[in-house]
């Protein structure tokens, strides 16, 4: 446990040194009751935005989906040089409480697009796919408003840079824990511009449960 805390402290210091983390803030009132939560809140502080734009927003995510991702990090099925070291210290019994801690927080609000034309292209991809490239639409699994399900993540309001990185990782075969290879097949037909467009659109989807 002490080794994990030291690792998180070092990550937080490194992030703060390049201006990624805000100053110290009070933890939620019941955070101390959740085992290992101190490994998470430095980067994934509950709220509307992550500590850095390339890190995912966890608040409001489906508990079942979060728990699966944590298990995959712990087992090595999902690779990450940042997530795997701390997750190897987390007990199996702590995974669901951690997922509930974040999943039961209010979901992030939608955000206006920075590039309206890009978001419009993203809407076309999200709702209709890219037939010429064999890319299925996103709404079929993630819902018309990006609210997802226990099997598929909520994408509404998610950090665009994180979404782009995950799509690129699926395309490159770096991330392989998708169901039935669906995301790897989808991402294989997408350009970087397609990915940026759909990520921009999803960030602006309605803030509704």
């Amino acid at each position: 446990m002490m080794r994990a805390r030291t690792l998180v402290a070092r990550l937080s210091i490194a992030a703060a040194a390049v201006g990624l983390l805000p100053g110290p803030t009070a933890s939620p009132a019941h955070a101390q009751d959740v085992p290992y939560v101190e490994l998470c809140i430095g980067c994934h502080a509950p709220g509307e935005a992550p500590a850095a734009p390339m890190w995912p927003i966890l608040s409001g995510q489906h508990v079942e989906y979060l728990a699966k991702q944590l298990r995959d990090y712990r087992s090595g099925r999902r690779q990450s040089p940042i997530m795997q070291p701390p997750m190897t210290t987390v007990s199996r019994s702590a995974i669901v409480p951690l997922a509930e801690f974040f999943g039961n927080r209010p979901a992030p609000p939608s955000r206006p697009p920075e590039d309206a034309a890009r978001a419009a292209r993203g809407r076309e991809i999200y709702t209709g796919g890219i037939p010429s490239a064999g890319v299925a639409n996103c709404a079929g699994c993630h819902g018309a408003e990006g609210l997802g399900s226990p099997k598929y993540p909520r994408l509404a309001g998610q950090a665009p840079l994180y979404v782009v990185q995950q799509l690129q990782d699926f395309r490159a075969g770096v991330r392989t824990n998708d169901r039935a290879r669906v995301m790897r097949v989808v991402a294989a037909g997408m350009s970087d511009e397609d990915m940026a467009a759909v990520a921009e659109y999803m960030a602006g989807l309605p803030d509704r449960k």
Side-chain angles (χ1 to χ4, degrees):
M1 185 66 175
M2 287 302 296
R3 184 177 65 181
R5 288 177 175 170
T6 300
L7 172 63
V8 172
R10 288 176 179 172
L11 288 173
S12 298
I13 291 170
V18 295
L20 295 181
L21 291 181
T25 57
S27 298
H30 63 286
Q32 66 271 16
D33 299 326
V34 182
Y36 303 96
V37 75
E38 72 275 10
L39 297 178
C40 311
I41 57 177
C43 297
H44 302 287
E48 298 180 4
M54 71 289 293
W55 295 341
I57 298 169
L58 303 184
S59 296
Q61 188 58 268
H62 295 280
V63 171
E64 296 88 342
Y65 177 79
L66 282 178
K68 178 187 184 300
Q69 300 310 305
L70 292 175
R71 292 188 186 102
D72 285 355
Y73 280 129
R74 190 177 185 277
S75 69
R77 186 163 182 244
R78 182 172 176 181
Q79 297 287 313
S80 168
I82 294 176
M83 286 297 301
Q84 282 181 281
M87 281 307 301
T88 59
T89 72
V90 174
S91 66
R92 289 187 180 90
S93 62
I95 285 178
V96 170
L98 279 173
E100 290 175 339
F101 175 80
F102 287 98
N104 291 331
R105 291 294 197 271
S110 59
R111 62 187 78 182
E114 295 182 5
D115 186 322
R118 177 185 290 169
R121 170 59 180 156
R123 183 181 186 280
E124 293 176 0
I125 298 171
Y126 190 89
T127 60
I130 311 175
S132 62
V135 174
N137 68 66
C138 310
C141 292
H142 299 282
E145 296 180 341
L147 304 185
S149 71
K151 289 185 178 181
Y152 301 106
R154 176 190 173 103
L155 299 177
Q158 188 54 269
L161 287 181
Y162 172 74
V163 171
V164 170
Q165 184 62 63
Q166 296 311 298
L167 289 171
Q168 290 175 339
D169 285 352
F170 279 126
R171 185 178 61 190
V174 174
R175 182 172 173 183
T176 60
N177 72 328
D178 49 330
R179 295 177 180 274
R181 299 180 61 91
V182 169
M183 286 307 305
R184 279 173 279 179
V185 171
V186 168
M190 299 178 72
S191 67
D192 288 345
E193 291 77 13
D194 295 333
M195 294 175 180
V198 79
E200 181 102 355
Y201 173 70
M202 291 188 296
L205 283 171
D207 177 27
R208 289 160 57 183
K209 286 286 187 179

